[in-house]
């Protein structure tokens, strides 16, 4: 995302195609380049080492461009050409305040857009592209960002790399965007000839399984920026990895070529690796990161024993935690992670700390390096693709975590067409957990997922629901009772009891209701 993509060695002819509604598109995804990577046993061994180190260095690589919707991600990536992500993040808050969506951006004068983004490179051209791109989104896609390479690349200012970032990060489609860091390191490591961007992309895709592309793409970028820049190297950390990037390009190429090749094979092998969870016994996990999300809510990130390991938790199931309180008594509590079972090497939990909560008080005192005993999978709910046409979800407070887990799993499955509506109740706006993640899902899947926030004490100018979740809200947002409809609920017992009463009176059968 940072800096311009290196130029391709040859221009690819545009291919005329059409969108779903028959609108002609100006170009389509370029022809794939042939791979040129040879896999050897030596490379496989070194690649495994690099994969482990990258995973340890960047176990949960975030998208470096700030955004709160798919449209804003697209804008930020367009702006990132030939400049730094830091500079983009400095101008986008002002830009998105004026134009948070395509409709607002299309109404802005090009000169006004340019004035806001002037500090970054190529501002005049980027301002015109943003204006024209937004108008085209309204004209062809109702203001929504399309989820195909051909339709994305038909937009002004969107090339294959930009489309790849959006397809990967917003829509979960396997893609491997290649920026200057990846192009440079792939050649330096011997993973690609470096003759063209197309070649680098093809070689890396051949080496890595699609499930690893998103994280490895970001991990290489972060590593290139911090430790292996174009002109000098920082030898302070990850010494073995740095040594492979030192000056001797050709031996390095051979050595490191296998390096990420091994990443590949190691990650491919990970699919068959035994998952962490054991339903029969508690096993410890080490805490590697704590993020303070609100005044009383934290994200806890635990490392799995192997960076290639999966947790082994089916969609809709949970994990039991076991810890000792101050009196040495056992405390058990169920928790649902916010990461899914495709996540390798780590598991994350968003947990609200309650003054009288025995387990949350224990967790509030945890420090990085401490361990927690976990056992699972647990739970009665089992999800299967397209098991229902529509699913309604009712959540209160931390009860949103199983809802998010189920919704995210459904929406990332391209073959699942289930429609989801979430009613999410909280005391105040500050109490809304994982709001950014929920809004991102809604922005990426506007036809399949919507969320309606309800607050007991809403602020001025609040546009969501007020008070408690009501029968009318359920009727307004959920599909009518029927054989293809289901409602999931999770939250404080008084709330879930009230919701069951509403659902029973509205005709939702016992089989159509599930309470976590």
């Amino acid at each position: 995302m940072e800096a311009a993509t290196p130029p391709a060695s040859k221009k690819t002819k545009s291919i005329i195609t059409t969108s779903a509604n028959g609108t002609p598109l100006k170009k389509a995804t370029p022809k794939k380049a042939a791979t040129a990577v040879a896999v050897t046993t030596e490379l496989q061994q070194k690649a495994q080492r690099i994969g482990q180190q990258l995973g340890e260095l960047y176990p949960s690589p975030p998208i470096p461009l700030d955004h709160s919707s798919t449209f804003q991600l697209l804008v930020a990536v367009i702006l990132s050409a030939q400049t730094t992500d830091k500079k983009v993040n400095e101008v986008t808050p002002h830009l998105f305040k004026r134009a948070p969506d395509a409709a607002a951006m299309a109404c802005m004068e090009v000169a006004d857009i340019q004035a806001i983004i002037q500090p970054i490179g190529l501002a005049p051209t980027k301002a015109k592209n943003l204006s024209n791109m937004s108008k085209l989104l309204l004209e062809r896609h109702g203001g929504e960002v399309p989820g195909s390479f051909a339709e994305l690349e038909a937009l002004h200012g969107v090339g294959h790399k930009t489309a790849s970032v959006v397809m990967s990060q917003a829509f979960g489609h396997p893609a491997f965007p290649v920026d200057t860091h990846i192009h440079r390191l792939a050649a330096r490591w011997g993973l690609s000839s470096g003759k063209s961007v197309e070649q680098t992309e093809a070689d890396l895709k051949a080496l890595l399984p699609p499930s690893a592309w998103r994280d490895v793409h970001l991990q290489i970028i972060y590593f290139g920026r911090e430790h292996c820049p174009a002109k000098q190297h920082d030898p302070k950390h990850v010494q073995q990895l740095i040594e492979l990037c030192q000056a001797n390009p050709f031996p390095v190429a051979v050595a490191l070529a296998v390096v990420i090749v091994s990443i590949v094979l190691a990650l491919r092998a990970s699919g068959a690796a035994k998952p962490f969870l054991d339903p029969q016994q508690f096993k410890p996990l080490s805490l590697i990161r704590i993020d303070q999300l609100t005044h009383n809510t934290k994200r806890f990130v635990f490392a799995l024993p192997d960076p290639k390991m999966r947790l082994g938790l089916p969609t809709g199931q949970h994990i039991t935690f076991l810890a000792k309180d101050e009196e040495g008594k056992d405390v058990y509590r169920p928790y649902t992670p916010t990461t899914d079972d495709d996540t390798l090497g780590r598991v994350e939990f968003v947990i609200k700390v309650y003054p009288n909560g025995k387990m949350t008080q224990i967790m509030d005192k945890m420090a990085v390096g401490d361990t927690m005993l976990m056992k699972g999978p647990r739970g009665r709910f089992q999800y299967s693709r397209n098991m229902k046409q529509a699913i309604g979800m009712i959540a209160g407070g931390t009860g949103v975590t199983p809802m998010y887990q189920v919704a995210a799993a459904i929406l990332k499955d391209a073959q699942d067409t289930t429609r989801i509506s979430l009613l999410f109740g909280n005391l105040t706006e500050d109490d809304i957990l994982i709001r950014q993640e929920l809004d991102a899902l809604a922005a990426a899947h506007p036809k399949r997922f919507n969320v309606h926030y309800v607050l007991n004490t809403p602020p001025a100018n609040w546009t969501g629901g007020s008070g408690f979740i009501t029968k009318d809200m359920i009727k307004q947002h959920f599909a009518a009772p029927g054989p293809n409809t289901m409602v999931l609920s999770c939250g404080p017992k008084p709330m879930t009891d009230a919701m069951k009463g509403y659902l029973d009176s509205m005709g939702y059968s016992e089989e159509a209701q599930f309470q976590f």
Side-chain angles (χ1 to χ4, degrees), residues 263-344:
I263 274 189
V264 175
L265 297 176
L267 286 171
R268 280 181 179 162
S270 71
K274 185 178 179 181
F276 168 76
L277 286 174
D278 185 334
Q280 303 303 321
Q281 64 174 325
F282 284 96
K283 297 162 67 175
L285 283 183
S286 296
L287 183 62
I288 59 171
R289 198 178 81 228
I290 303 172
D291 299 328
Q292 187 78 43
L293 302 183
T294 70
H295 66 287
N296 63 355
T297 305
K298 297 180 180 181
R299 178 185 288 112
F300 296 86
V301 183
F302 294 87
L304 300 179
D306 189 319
K308 305 180 297 297
M309 181 179 282
R310 296 179 189 278
L311 180 64
L313 186 71
T315 300
Q317 307 245 311
H318 62 264
I319 297 170
T320 299
F321 283 20
L322 168 60
K324 299 281 188 184
D325 64 14
E326 293 180 351
E327 298 176 359
K329 296 179 181 179
D330 289 341
V331 178
Y332 300 86
R333 288 293 183 276
Y335 289 105
T336 303
T338 53
T339 44
D340 62 21
D341 206 43
D342 289 333
T343 304
L344 300 179

Side-chain angles (χ1 to χ4, degrees), residues 48-361:
Q48 184 174 4
R49 205 168 79 231
I50 281 232
Q52 291 173 344
Q53 291 193 45
L54 284 175
E56 290 169 6
L57 278 171
Y58 314 104
S60 181
I63 303 172
L65 293 169
D66 297 337
H67 64 283
S68 60
S69 69
T70 304
F71 171 76
Q72 292 182 10
L73 174 63
L74 175 58
V75 169
V77 179
I78 291 173
L79 292 176
S80 70
Q82 296 188 22
T83 190
T84 64
D85 295 339
K86 181 180 179 182
K87 284 188 177 296
V88 173
N89 290 338
E90 288 172 357
V91 303
T92 50
H94 187 195
L95 180 63
F96 293 153
K97 186 175 181 180
R98 288 281 305 275
D101 52 34
M105 186 78 74
C107 290
M108 286 186 70
E109 296 292 334
V110 172
D112 293 337
I113 299 174
Q114 183 178 334
I116 294 173
I117 67 171
Q118 193 61 47
I120 65 176
L122 304 176
T125 301
K126 291 176 181 177
K128 291 177 185 176
N129 284 337
L130 292 182
S131 177
N132 290 329
M133 177 271 292
S134 300
K135 291 172 182 175
L136 210 53
L137 283 180
L138 292 173
E139 178 187 325
R140 292 183 179 174
H141 309 289
E144 297 176 6
V145 177
S148 76
F149 276 101
E151 290 175 311
L152 280 169
E153 291 181 38
L155 300 172
H156 295 269
V158 180
H160 183 62
K161 174 201 155 191
T162 298
S164 294
V165 173
V166 174
M167 289 295 287
S168 172
Q169 307 297 344
F171 296 108
H173 181 88
F176 206 119
V178 175
D179 77 342
T180 51
H181 297 292
I182 295 174
H183 187 63
R184 180 182 73 253
L185 290 180
R188 178 174 282 168
W189 290 345
L191 303 178
S192 178
S193 64
K195 291 181 179 178
S196 70
V197 173
E198 292 86 353
Q199 185 69 63
T200 299
E201 181 180 347
D203 288 340
L204 292 177
K205 284 182 173 179
L207 291 173
L208 294 160
S211 61
W213 292 352
R214 179 197 178 276
D215 279 358
V216 174
H217 150 73
L218 292 171
Q219 287 165 346
I220 296 175
I221 290 175
Y222 282 117
F223 177 75
R225 290 178 185 175
E226 294 179 21
H227 302 296
C228 207
K231 295 182 179 179
Q232 59 184 8
H233 309 284
D234 175 8
K236 283 190 286 189
H237 304 295
V238 290
Q239 188 62 36
Q240 288 180 320
L241 203 58
I242 300 299
E243 286 170 0
L244 291 170
C245 295
Q246 298 296 342
N248 252 333
F250 187 73
V252 167
V254 175
L256 227 150
V258 184
V259 159
I260 290 192
V261 174
S262 300
I263 274 189
V264 175
L265 297 176
L267 286 171
R268 280 181 179 162
S270 71
K274 185 178 179 181
F276 168 76
L277 286 174
D278 185 334
Q280 303 303 321
Q281 64 174 325
F282 284 96
K283 297 162 67 175
L285 283 183
S286 296
L287 183 62
I288 59 171
R289 198 178 81 228
I290 303 172
D291 299 328
Q292 187 78 43
L293 302 183
T294 70
H295 66 287
N296 63 355
T297 305
K298 297 180 180 181
R299 178 185 288 112
F300 296 86
V301 183
F302 294 87
L304 300 179
D306 189 319
K308 305 180 297 297
M309 181 179 282
R310 296 179 189 278
L311 180 64
L313 186 71
T315 300
Q317 307 245 311
H318 62 264
I319 297 170
T320 299
F321 283 20
L322 168 60
K324 299 281 188 184
D325 64 14
E326 293 180 351
E327 298 176 359
K329 296 179 181 179
D330 289 341
V331 178
Y332 300 86
R333 288 293 183 276
Y335 289 105
T336 303
T338 53
T339 44
D340 62 21
D341 206 43
D342 289 333
T343 304
L344 300 179
R346 73 181 193 282
V347 58
E348 301 180 6
F349 300 87
V350 172
I351 296 175
K352 181 176 288 189
V353 177
Y354 293 97
N356 299 318
K358 291 185 177 180
M359 180 61 78
T360 61
Q361 283 299 311

